[in-house]
Amino acid sequence: MLITRCSLPLLERFNTPDSHCLTDVNNRRLSFDVANYLRDRFAILFNSSGLDVLGRTNKYPYASASVVNFGVDNLAGTTMSGIDTLRLARRIRLSILRFEPRINQQGLVVRFSQIDHRSGTSLNFIIEGEVDYRHERFAFSLNSRWNTDSGEVQVTPFYMGAVYG
């Protein structure tokens, strides 16, 4: 079951003494801080173990919603031809929604972008959506690069600016 709204105390660090008066500059700064926060948290999420450490997931039906199992399965040692990118994109989206419940569920889009042809072992997924914070909605757009050799995931900003128009 996905939670639709929740308040995480970590985001409260973005509160400024003059936050009750949001100007354009303050709003842009807050939007930048929220995007950086999400980028850092998603990097931690994607580099966590996920359900693959449990082995048989059907034996533990509620384990996927557990706090310790939010991650996505490790791709280290997986061949590129053996990866179903659509299924992986759905798994990434679900783990994001479980991890950060303030993200707009209908607006979150995770799509496969490309295989990095320089190394031949990296998949790129674009993550776009909106997050609610302090009665405001902030758009974000991130690029996640999944290395199938090492299992490492890097999350970087995709582009700056408005995501939805």
Side-chain angles (χ1 to χ4, degrees):
M1 179 173 94
L2 297 175
I3 301 170
T4 56
R5 279 203 184 268
C6 184
S7 177
L8 298 178
L10 288 176
L11 270 180
E12 296 307 319
R13 73 176 73 172
F14 299 129
N15 283 341
T16 57
D18 59 345
S19 61
H20 62 279
C21 172
L22 283 179
T23 64
D24 250 4
V25 174
N26 288 346
N27 202 14
R28 277 191 298 247
R29 176 67 185 162
L30 189 58
S31 179
F32 180 76
D33 288 344
V34 169
N36 279 339
Y37 170 83
L38 288 174
R39 186 191 71 212
D40 294 342
R41 302 307 288 177
F42 288 171
I44 293 170
L45 169 68
F46 297 150
N47 284 297
S48 64
S49 61
L51 286 177
D52 60 346
V53 297
L54 292 176
R56 298 184 319 184
T57 56
N58 59 351
K59 186 175 179 182
Y60 309 102
Y62 298 105
S64 64
S66 167
V67 176
V68 296
N69 296 315
F70 280 142
V72 179
D73 299 340
N74 193 339
L75 295 180
T78 308
T79 60
M80 297 296 272
S81 61
I83 297 174
D84 181 358
T85 56
L86 184 59
R87 183 172 172 260
L88 182 57
R90 281 192 298 253
R91 177 73 176 124
I92 293 168
R93 184 179 186 279
L94 182 61
S95 62
I96 289 171
L97 290 174
R98 285 185 173 150
F99 185 71
E100 179 51 82
R102 288 175 296 172
I103 290 179
N104 180 5
Q105 292 181 15
Q106 291 76 24
L108 181 64
V109 177
V110 177
R111 67 178 185 277
F112 173 69
S113 173
Q114 66 182 4
I115 296 174
D116 187 355
H117 293 292
R118 288 177 292 167
S119 66
T121 60
S122 293
L123 301 168
N124 289 330
F125 287 87
I126 306 301
I127 304 165
E128 294 180 309
E130 296 175 327
V131 62
D132 292 326
Y133 174 64
R134 297 182 58 214
H135 309 293
E136 297 266 342
R137 187 164 276 186
F138 296 96
F140 65 90
S141 184
L142 301 170
N143 178 39
S144 60
R145 184 172 178 255
W146 300 69
N147 188 321
T148 59
D149 278 345
S150 65
E152 178 190 16
V153 181
Q154 297 175 342
V155 181
T156 57
F158 181 56
Y159 58 81
M160 299 305 286
V163 178
Y164 298 104

